[in-house]
Amino acid sequence: MAGVAVPSSKGGGYVPTGKEKLNPMVYITAMTAALAGLLFGLDIGVIAGALDFIGHEFTVSDSTKELIVSALLIGAVIGTFCSGPISRKFGRRKAILLSGAIFVIGSIGCGLAHNPEILIFFRGFLGVAVGIASFTAPLYLSEMAPMQIRGRLIAMYQLMITIGIVLAFVSDTILSYGGHWRIMLAIVAVPAAMMAIGVYFLPESPRWLALAGFKEQAMNVLRKLRSSEEEVKWELGEIENSVVDPEKTKKVIANPNFKKALILGICLQAIQQFTGINVVMYYAPQIFKAAGFDTNQEQMFATIIVGVVNVLATFIAIAFVDKLGRKPILYIGHIVMGLSMGILGLLFFHGMSSTGMQYSAVGMVIIFIIGFAMSAGPIIWIICSEIYPLAARDFGITASTASNWFCNAIVGMTFLTMLNGIGPASTFGLYAVMNIAFMIFYFYFTPETKDISLEEIEENLLKGAKMKEIGTRTRIPRENIAGNEAQA
Ligand code: BGC
């Protein structure tokens, strides 16, 4: 992420140990900014329960339903591209505020839509907010966070996404009794307004302030967020050292080694989407319907279980990502996802003739979710925030985040067509094969980025190391690290 303070011996000899007391203000700030993750999740989850009712009210085809789902994702691609310039020119805080305002208007617009075209338009508009928030909030978080909890805060952001999804599923279920799809969509305006009000009171990112030349203000913000004056001075020194001139950014972007990192990030985010996660997130009730659960309430209940498991399994990643490393967890996750999708395909192939088979289908969807939430869910976002050189980090993250939304749209736009065209057995079979095949990509091209500072990754990358090896320590062997990169 941009603006990450990296340890050095500059700054009057003071070097943080990574064990500094944390100022509680950091958590308040982080929680408020992470509300953007919650909204991201709410908007992803909310459509699952509303889609069937919308389909009935407007009598639309499957391809129009796919458009209603995917308009948000196309909007998110556009939002991601706009967010770099907006957050650079006006600041991170104002960019999040803008996304809050768009969230409020977009949600109400969706709830009031009186034909599919208007609904599609407002879903697209809402998507712009999702795109801005999904770029700016993690950036803001990483710029506010003391380095010892930076990774954890990004994983927490993913946690908020999953909580948003489950809250949307619960609210959809409650409202599904009366078929109130309009309220399902419009109610998202409430947390959006809460976020906007909260963010209004947050300080601007100290790194952005320093970039924009407001050194005094940057220092004042750091005083609110850090526990000692020494830390404040050290960090400001680091920020000033890392403030890059536009010429350096151009040079890095033109560097062929940076292009390799860019391609890696774009591919990793594409892989995350082609695991098929959002097939489940958007269409879970439809999958359960195909598996023989007839009533809307049964389908929604099973969907809520999926959402809760998604939240809980994210804790597995939070607990192990810095201990086991990124790659081992990715392998385990993909094996779990590949097997569960494969078995789901087989179940559909044999036909859901008994209740036992129906429950097994729900079980496989749940196991699939565990595989995703413990691995590719948080870890792809983490790796993508680690592999880009600081000078071009904004650019790299924009490209990989846009790839995430773009591929998300492809999955959203093709799933129902595939389900009706080649049938559920082949559709899930295909996702199973892809999940296993992606492990080959990890093996050959993905670096392990545990226990290494962002600076060293950058150094390895720019001097031409193979992508797989940019996370390999050359300055200090991994074994000699006492679990604290600050001392590296
Ligand atoms: C993905 C989203 C997905 C969510 C599910 C995120 O990491 O980018 O597309 O819906 O996880 O929890």
Side-chain angles (χ1 to χ4, degrees):
M1 289 278 148
V4 167
V6 248
S8 82
S9 51
K10 299 174 191 111
Y14 170 80
V15 178
T17 61
K19 297 197 172 64
E20 285 69 27
K21 228 175 74 201
L22 290 171
N23 187 323
M25 232 344 247
V26 166
Y27 287 109
I28 298 172
T29 308
M31 280 309 292
T32 318
L35 272 179
L38 191 86
L39 290 174
F40 171 163
L42 279 171
D43 278 304
I44 284 200
V46 78
I47 201 67
L51 206 55
D52 220 24
F53 298 110
I54 296 172
H56 283 132
E57 179 157 341
F58 293 142
T59 44
V60 289
S61 64
D62 274 352
S63 58
T64 308
K65 275 192 194 169
E66 284 171 345
L67 259 181
I68 294 171
V69 171
S70 320
L72 179 117
L73 312 170
I74 305 288
V77 176
I78 299 170
T80 307
F81 280 115
C82 301
S83 48
I86 294 176
S87 65
R88 205 170 310 130
K89 191 158 173 32
F90 302 104
R92 316 328 190 189
R93 186 179 146 270
K94 287 203 181 120
I96 305 181
L97 271 177
L98 174 71
S99 78
I102 302 179
F103 268 122
V104 172
I105 301 170
S107 314
I108 296 175
C110 285
L112 294 177
H114 57 271
N115 63 37
E117 290 74 24
I118 295 191
L119 181 58
I120 291 168
F121 170 81
F122 276 111
R123 289 273 299 163
F125 187 67
L126 202 53
V128 175
V130 177
I132 298 178
S134 68
F135 171 91
T136 318
L139 180 70
Y140 177 81
L141 280 175
S142 75
E143 291 184 347
M144 307 296 284
M147 70 185 171
Q148 65 267 36
I149 58 164
R150 190 183 65 233
R152 227 181 307 157
L153 283 189
I154 301 174
M156 292 279 287
Y157 173 73
Q158 168 73 18
L159 189 70
M160 292 297 274
I161 298 178
T162 61
I163 294 176
I165 294 176
V166 83
L167 286 181
F169 288 166
V170 172
S171 129
D172 278 8
T173 306
I174 297 170
L175 293 164
S176 70
Y177 288 96
H180 302 301
W181 67 267
R182 290 178 185 280
I183 306 180
M184 289 179 195
L185 300 185
I187 206 159
V188 180
V190 177
M194 279 164 55
M195 178 194 78
I197 295 168
V199 170
Y200 180 81
F201 292 102
L202 291 189
E204 180 50 91
S205 141
R207 179 176 183 275
W208 181 81
L209 286 169
L211 259 178
F214 303 116
K215 190 175 157 188
E216 251 331 280
Q217 282 100 315
M219 188 126 179
N220 289 339
V221 172
L222 281 173
R223 284 200 179 106
K224 283 191 202 142
L225 297 170
R226 302 291 177 261
S227 304
S228 70
E229 193 61 21
E230 267 177 326
E231 255 186 278
V232 170
K233 292 218 174 93
W234 176 82
E235 194 162 333
L236 193 68
E238 289 297 305
I239 292 174
E240 285 181 330
N241 286 341
S242 69
V243 166
V244 281
D245 69 278
E247 281 312 304
K248 180 160 181 218
T249 302
K250 275 192 208 145
K251 253 194 226 149
V252 170
I253 291 177
N255 184 320
N257 296 315
F258 171 71
K259 291 199 180 111
K260 285 197 268 171
L262 199 62
I263 294 171
L264 175 68
I266 290 173
C267 291
L268 285 176
Q269 288 287 16
I271 287 179
Q272 196 216 41
Q273 291 304 313
F274 287 114
T275 56
I277 178 63
N278 287 313
V279 157
V280 179
M281 290 303 153
Y282 305 139
Y283 299 110
Q286 252 90 345
I287 298 176
F288 296 132
K289 190 173 177 182
F293 291 90
D294 292 327
T295 71
N296 198 275
Q297 276 69 37
E298 274 174 352
Q299 292 158 19
M300 283 315 294
F301 185 68
T303 305
I304 291 182
I305 297 179
V306 164
V308 172
V309 170
N310 190 25
V311 176
L312 296 180
T314 306
F315 285 102
I316 305 179
I318 294 178
F320 292 111
V321 69
D322 291 323
K323 293 193 187 118
L324 284 181
R326 284 58 165 152
K327 282 176 80 173
I329 304 185
L330 280 174
Y331 289 132
I332 299 171
H334 275 262
I335 292 173
V336 173
M337 287 190 279
L339 288 179
S340 52
M341 275 282 177
I343 298 175
L344 187 63
L346 283 177
L347 285 168
F348 273 104
F349 183 74
H350 286 289
M352 300 288 166
S353 44
S354 64
T355 332
M357 287 182 109
Q358 290 178 10
Y359 283 112
S360 306
V362 177
M364 285 309 128
V365 172
I366 288 172
I367 293 175
F368 170 83
I369 293 291
I370 296 177
F372 177 85
M374 65 175 279
S375 66
I379 290 177
I380 300 293
W381 289 105
I382 294 176
I383 298 181
C384 286
S385 74
E386 295 172 327
I387 54 174
Y388 301 116
L390 184 62
R393 203 163 283 157
D394 291 12
F395 184 81
I397 294 176
T398 301
S400 53
T401 306
S403 156
N404 177 290
W405 289 112
F406 183 71
C407 298
N408 194 330
I410 295 180
V411 172
M413 275 194 282
T414 52
F415 179 67
L416 288 184
T417 311
M418 279 170 75
L419 213 55
N420 295 330
I422 58 174
S426 308
T427 305
F428 294 122
L430 185 68
Y431 277 109
V433 172
M434 287 200 288
N435 270 301
I436 300 298
F438 292 148
M439 295 192 336
I440 304 173
F441 183 90
Y442 292 148
F443 184 79
Y444 285 108
F445 303 109
T446 308
E448 175 56 72
T449 50
K450 156 179 118 92
D451 284 344
I452 179 165
S453 75
L454 299 177
E455 275 196 316
E456 207 172 340
I457 296 178
E458 173 168 342
E459 195 177 298
N460 291 341
L461 174 78
L462 294 180
K463 80 179 179 222
K466 285 192 188 141
M467 279 319 290
K468 186 183 174 174
E469 279 152 22
I470 61 169
T472 307
R473 296 197 64 107
T474 46
R475 291 197 215 146
I476 300 177
R478 259 187 219 294
E479 313 74 80
N480 296 358
I481 305 163
N484 174 16
E485 67 171 32
Q487 314 198 326

